[in-house]
C-alpha cells in the first residue's frame, strides 16, 4: 500500500523545511543534507505493509520500528564498502585517475574516491584496511616522512568527511604502517575516522598494546574478534561504520531496527510477546525492508548507473541488509515486571535467560525470512545490535546493560555480554571508560581484550575517563565540540549533534568507569 500524504503532513514538512533553513546551529552542508532528506520524504513510492504506520509513524513512546532516517525513497545503499585494493591497482576511468605508484598518489587518489562514495549520510562509511592498503607504498620512506604526509591526510579526512561513522580497519597482522597510523592518531585525537583493530591469534602483543595506548588517548581503535567475523563472513569482510561486519566490494542496502523496549509494552505477558507481538512486528519490518530493497535494486537505477559498479569496485551480489534491534534490557525488565518479577537484566540469571530466549526467537524468525537480493548471506538479513540514536529514551543500544546499572565487577559485565555476541555477524559491541590510572598499566586492558576474544566476545571499545574524544555508541565525538554546539555555535560534524542528544537522553557521560 502506497502511503498518502495528508494536508497536515505536508504542512508539517513545510515547517520542518523552514526550521532547517533558519537553524543557526547548522552549517551550509548540513542544511543541504537535511533539506534533501526532507524532499525525499515527500515522495510516496514504496508499496509498504498496511500495518507499518502504526508501528513506524507514531509517537516515540509507542514506536516499534525505526528506519534510522533513511528516507522514504531509497536511491542509494546505506553502506558501501568499496574494493580499495582494486581501485589503487587499476585507477578509475570515471575519476580520470591512473594506478597509484607512490604514497602521495595513493593518499590523493583515495581522498578523491572517498568524496565520490555515497551513503545514507552522504559520506563514505568505510575507507579501507589502511595498513594493508598503504604499507606497500612506504618501504622507501622514513618514519618522519610517512607521518608528515599521514598527519595532513588524516586532518583532511577529519575536516572534509563530516561524519564520524567513517571507519577504517587495521590488523590482525602487525605492520609498520599500522604502528605509524596509531602513533599519529594518538597525537591528532580527531573524531574522524573511526578505527578498528582486527585481533586474532597472530596479532602480536606489542601491536595490540600499541592499539590500547592509542585508544586511551583517542578512543580508537576498538578491538574486533577476527576469528568470529571470519568464521561467519569469510576472509573478505570488513568492519564499517559503527562496528558493522560487511563484505568488501559490497555493503548493506538498508538497516531498520526493532525497538524491543516498546514492543514489550504491547504484550500482555511473556508468552503473548513471544507468540504474537514480536513475530508480528518482525514480519512487518521484514516486508518493509523487502520493499525498500526492491525499489533500490529494481527502480532507483543506482546499480546500473554508478561508476563504482561499472568499474568493478562494488558488486550487487555482495550486498546484504541489516535487521537491527535495540532495547533488549528494557524489554526483558518490562516483561518480567508484567509477571510480577523485579529481577533486572545484567543482574539476574532469570533475566539474562529471558534475554537469550528472545534473541533465539529473533534469530529463528529472521532466518525463516527470505530475500532474493541478499544472496551473499544465504538470502537472509544479518542481525545487527544497533548502537542507538540521540532521541532514544529508556532504550539501551543493542543488548547492552543500561547505563547506570552496570555490574560492579567487570567480569560479571563481560559474562553478560558473552551470552549475546554470537547472534550478530553484522555487529555488536560494548564500551568501557577506563580510569586514568590505567595509563600506567595498559597491559590491564590488553589482558581484558585477549581474554574476551578467547571467550567469543565480538567487539570491545575503551577510552580514558579524561579523554576529549569519547565513543558515544558506535561513533566518536569530542566533548569540547558538544559544548560548542550546546552553546549555540556551529560545529563541523553531523555526529556531534547526535552525541549531544545522547548525552542528554542516554546519559553517555555517566557510564561506569573501570
Amino acid at each position: 500500500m502506497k502511503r498518502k500524504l495528508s494536508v497536515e503532513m505536508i504542512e508539517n514538512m513545510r515547517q520542518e523545511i523552514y526550521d532547517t533553513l533558519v537553524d543557526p546551529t547548522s552549517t551550509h552542508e548540513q542544511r543541504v543534507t537535511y533539506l534533501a532528506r526532507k524532499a525525499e520524504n515527500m515522495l510516496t513510492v514504496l508499496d509498504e505493509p498496511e500495518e507499518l504506520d502504526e508501528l513506524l509513524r507514531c509517537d516515540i513512546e509507542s514506536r516499534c520500528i525505526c528506519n534510522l532516517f533513511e528516507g522514504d525513497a531509497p536511491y542509494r545503499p546505506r553502506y558501501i564498502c568499496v574494493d580499495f585494493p582494486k581501485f589503487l591497482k587499476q585507477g578509475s576511468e570515471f575519476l580520470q585517475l591512473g594506478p597509484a605508484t607512490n604514497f602521495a598518489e595513493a593518499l590523493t587518489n583515495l581522498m578523491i574516491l572517498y568524496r565520490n562514495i555515497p551513503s545514507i549520510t552522504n559520506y563514505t562509511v568505510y575507507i579501507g584496511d589502511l595498513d594493508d592498503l598503504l604499507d606497500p607504498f612506504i618501504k622507501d620512506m622514513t618514519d618522519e616522512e610517512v607521518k608528515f604526509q599521514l598527519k595532513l591526510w588524516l586532518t583532511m579526512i577529519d575536516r572534509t568527511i563530516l561524519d564520524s561513522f567513517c571507519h577504517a580497519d587495521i590488523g590482525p597482522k602487525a605492520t609498520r604502517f599500522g604502528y605509524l597510523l596509531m602513533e599519529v592518531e594518538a597525537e591528532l585525537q580527531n573524531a574522524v575516522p573511526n578505527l578498528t583493530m582486527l585481533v586474532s591469534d597472530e596479532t602480536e602483543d606489542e601491536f595490540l598494546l600499541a592499539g590500547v595506548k592509542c585508544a586511551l588517548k583517542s578512543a580508537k581503535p576498538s578491538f574486533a574478534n577476527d576469528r568470529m567475523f571470519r568464521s561467519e563472513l569469510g576472509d573478505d569482510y570488513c568492519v564499517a561504520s559503527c562496528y558493522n561486519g560487511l563484505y568488501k566490494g559490497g555493503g548493506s542496502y538498508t538497516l531498520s531496527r526493532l525497538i524491543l523496549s516498546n514492543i514489550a509494552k504491547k504484550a500482555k505477558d511473556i508468552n503473548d510477546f513471544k507468540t504474537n507481538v514480536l513475530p508480528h512486528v518482525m514480519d512487518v519490518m521484514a516486508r518493509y525492508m523487502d520493499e525498500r530493497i526492491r525499489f533500490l535494486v529494481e527502480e532507483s537505477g543506482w546499480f546500473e548507473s554508478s561508476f563504482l559498479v561499472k568499474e568493478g569496485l562494488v558488486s550487487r551480489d555482495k550486498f546484504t541488509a541489516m535487521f537491527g534491534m535495540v532495547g533488549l534490557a528494557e524489554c526483558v525488565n518490562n516483561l518480567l515486571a508484567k509477571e510480577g518479577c523485579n529481577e533486572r537484566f545484567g543482574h539476574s540469571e532469570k533475566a539474562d535467560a529471558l534475554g537469550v530466549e528472545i534473541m533465539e526467537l529473533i534469530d529463528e524468525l529472521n532466518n525463516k525470512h527470505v530475500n532474493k537480493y541478499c544472496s551473499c548471506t544465504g538470502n537472509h538479513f544479518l542481525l545487527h545490535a544497533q548502537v542507538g540514536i540521540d532521541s532514544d529514551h529508556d532504550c539501551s543500544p543493542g543488548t547492552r546493560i543500561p547505563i547506570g546499572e552496570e555490574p560492579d565487577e567487570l567480569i560479571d559485565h563481560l559474562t553478560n555480554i558473552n551470552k549475546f555476541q554470537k547472534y550478530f555477524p553484522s555487529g555488536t559491541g560494548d564500551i568501557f571508560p577506563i580510569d586514568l590510572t590505567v595509563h600506567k598499566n595498559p597491559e590491564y586492558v590488553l589482558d581484558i581484550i585477549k581474554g574476551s576474544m578467547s571467550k567469543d566476545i565480538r567487539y570491545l571499545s575503551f577510552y580514558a575517563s579524561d579523554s576529549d574524544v569519547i565513543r558515544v555508541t558506535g561513533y566518536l565525538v569530542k566533548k569540547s565540540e558538544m559544548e560548542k554546539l550546546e552553546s549555540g555555535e556551529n560545529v563541523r560534524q553531523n555526529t556531534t549533534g547526535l552525541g549531544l542528544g545522547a548525552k542528554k537522553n542516554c546519559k553517555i557521560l555517566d557510564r561506569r568507569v573501570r
Side-chain angles (χ1 to χ4, degrees):
M1 180 184 71
K2 290 190 177 181
R3 184 167 59 104
K4 294 181 180 180
L5 297 179
S6 66
V7 173
E8 181 182 3
M9 291 168 68
I10 293 173
E11 287 302 315
N12 287 339
M13 288 178 179
R14 286 176 175 168
Q15 183 62 47
E16 290 174 359
I17 290 171
Y18 175 79
D19 292 342
T20 298
L21 290 174
V22 300
D23 180 5
T25 66
S26 295
T27 65
H28 168 74
E29 192 160 359
Q30 288 165 352
R31 293 186 197 193
V32 170
T33 299
Y34 300 156
L35 289 171
R37 186 172 295 156
K38 294 181 190 305
E40 181 185 355
N41 286 340
M42 296 186 78
L43 295 177
T44 55
V45 295
L46 301 183
D47 187 11
E48 299 175 342
E50 291 186 9
E51 310 94 327
L52 184 65
D53 274 357
E54 65 187 41
L55 298 173
L56 172 68
R57 300 182 184 97
C58 53
D59 63 271
I60 197 167
E61 288 79 16
S62 56
R63 190 174 303 155
C64 296
I65 295 173
C66 172
N67 68 9
L68 291 166
F69 315 112
E70 285 189 0
D72 289 333
Y75 59 91
R76 73 293 195 211
R78 184 181 184 98
Y79 300 130
I80 299 171
C81 303
V82 165
D83 185 340
F84 290 110
K86 185 173 185 178
F87 166 72
L88 288 182
K89 184 177 180 180
Q90 74 179 24
S92 169
E93 181 180 353
F94 179 79
L95 297 176
Q96 298 179 305
L97 296 172
T101 62
N102 56 50
F103 190 52
E105 285 184 354
L107 296 182
T108 300
N109 288 6
L110 286 171
M111 197 69 223
I112 292 170
L113 180 59
Y114 295 159
R115 295 294 291 172
N116 286 274
I117 302 172
S119 76
I120 200 64
T121 64
N122 293 329
Y123 300 104
T124 180
V125 294
Y126 170 64
I127 61 173
D129 295 356
L130 293 185
D131 50 354
D132 286 345
L133 275 178
L134 296 172
D135 196 64
F137 291 97
I138 66 170
K139 287 181 171 41
D140 298 324
M141 301 174 65
T142 67
D143 286 359
E144 291 308 311
E145 288 172 336
V146 174
K147 288 192 291 183
F148 176 76
Q149 292 194 44
L150 190 53
K151 285 178 186 178
L152 294 176
W153 188 67
L154 290 171
T155 299
M156 186 184 302
I157 287 176
D158 183 69
R159 306 304 192 269
T160 60
I161 300 179
L162 306 177
D163 188 281
S164 60
F165 291 111
C166 169
H167 204 115
D169 296 339
I170 59 173
K173 294 181 181 179
T175 60
R176 177 176 167 232
F177 183 85
Y179 277 111
L180 294 175
L181 175 67
M182 289 188 286
E183 186 178 334
V184 171
E185 287 283 17
E187 179 182 338
L188 293 177
Q189 298 187 29
N190 289 330
V192 180
N194 207 335
L195 183 65
T196 288
M197 178 184 286
L198 311 179
V199 181
S200 72
D201 290 341
E202 63 182 347
T203 305
E204 299 173 6
D205 280 3
E206 183 182 0
F207 192 60
L208 184 54
L209 190 60
V212 171
K213 291 177 180 178
C214 182
L216 292 176
K217 291 183 178 179
S218 66
K220 57 184 167 182
S222 295
F223 303 91
N225 192 324
D226 179 67
R227 174 179 52 81
M228 287 184 72
F229 277 112
R230 211 171 283 270
S231 69
E232 298 154 339
L233 301 177
D235 294 339
D236 209 22
Y237 84 94
C238 63
V239 175
S241 186
C242 302
Y243 41 49
N244 311 345
L246 296 169
Y247 287 105
K248 297 175 186 176
S252 179
Y253 300 112
T254 185
L255 165 60
S256 293
R257 63 177 192 160
L258 303 169
I259 305 177
L260 293 175
S261 50
N262 286 342
I263 297 173
K265 295 176 185 176
K266 293 181 174 291
K268 300 175 185 175
D269 50 34
I270 294 174
N271 183 64
D272 185 42
F273 174 84
K274 294 197 294 186
T275 305
N276 301 309
V277 180
L278 179 62
H280 170 69
V281 178
M282 285 189 64
D283 175 64
V284 173
M285 190 168 96
R287 288 187 285 125
Y288 176 53
M289 291 173 63
D290 285 343
E291 174 61 8
R292 298 184 67 79
I293 295 167
R294 184 205 63 77
F295 179 84
L296 175 60
V297 174
E298 298 179 8
E299 293 192 46
S300 76
W302 190 85
F303 286 96
E304 290 74 34
S305 62
S306 173
F307 80 95
L308 298 172
V309 179
K310 292 178 180 179
E311 297 183 5
L313 301 178
V314 296
S315 173
R316 192 196 58 73
D317 62 7
K318 293 183 179 179
F319 278 81
T320 186
M322 297 159 65
F323 198 93
M325 50 76 64
V326 290
L328 179 66
E330 291 79 7
C331 171
V332 166
N333 294 341
N334 189 322
L335 291 174
L336 288 176
K338 290 175 185 281
E339 306 278 354
C341 175
N342 62 0
E343 296 186 36
R344 307 285 291 179
F345 183 83
H347 297 271
S348 151
E349 288 188 11
K350 181 175 182 178
D352 287 357
L354 177 57
V356 170
E357 288 178 30
I358 292 169
M359 283 310 312
E360 286 286 338
L361 179 57
I362 290 173
D363 189 46
E364 176 188 348
L365 293 173
N366 178 62
N367 285 328
K368 285 181 179 178
H369 185 81
V370 173
N371 182 284
K372 65 180 179 180
Y373 290 121
C374 295
S375 58
C376 65
T377 52
N379 297 115
H380 303 299
F381 302 143
L382 292 182
L383 291 185
H384 176 72
Q386 202 268 327
V387 297
I389 58 176
D390 57 320
S391 58
D392 285 340
H393 287 268
D394 298 322
C395 180
S396 299
T399 63
R400 292 181 196 167
I401 298 171
I403 291 174
E405 296 187 25
E406 301 97 333
D408 293 336
E409 298 297 328
L410 179 58
I411 188 63
D412 294 332
H413 198 157
L414 293 172
T415 299
N416 172 270
I417 291 170
N418 184 244
K419 300 176 190 293
F420 302 100
Q421 303 274 297
K422 66 180 180 180
Y423 299 105
F424 301 105
S426 72
T428 184
D430 278 83
I431 303 169
F432 299 97
I434 298 295
D435 186 82
L436 296 177
T437 56
V438 176
H439 284 296
K440 299 177 182 178
N441 183 25
E443 289 82 4
Y444 166 73
V445 179
L446 182 145
D447 289 341
I448 293 171
I449 295 169
K450 292 179 68 175
S452 297
M453 300 292 168
S454 71
K455 298 295 184 182
D456 289 341
I457 289 178
R458 185 182 297 275
Y459 198 89
L460 295 172
S461 300
F462 304 88
Y463 61 87
S465 56
D466 66 335
S467 176
D468 185 30
V469 182
I470 64 168
R471 187 167 296 277
V472 177
T473 52
Y475 60 95
L476 307 178
V477 300
K478 286 190 170 186
K479 289 187 284 190
S480 57
E481 289 290 291
M482 287 195 291
E483 291 168 3
K484 289 181 184 178
L485 182 60
E486 196 166 20
S487 68
E489 295 183 45
N490 291 150
V491 292
R492 292 188 314 275
Q493 292 159 354
N494 300 338
T495 33
T496 302
L498 300 181
L500 182 59
K503 170 189 171 184
K504 295 176 179 178
N505 297 329
C506 309
K507 303 177 182 178
I508 59 166
L509 299 184
D510 297 330
R511 293 185 178 116
R512 180 183 291 274
V513 176
R514 300 295 181 178

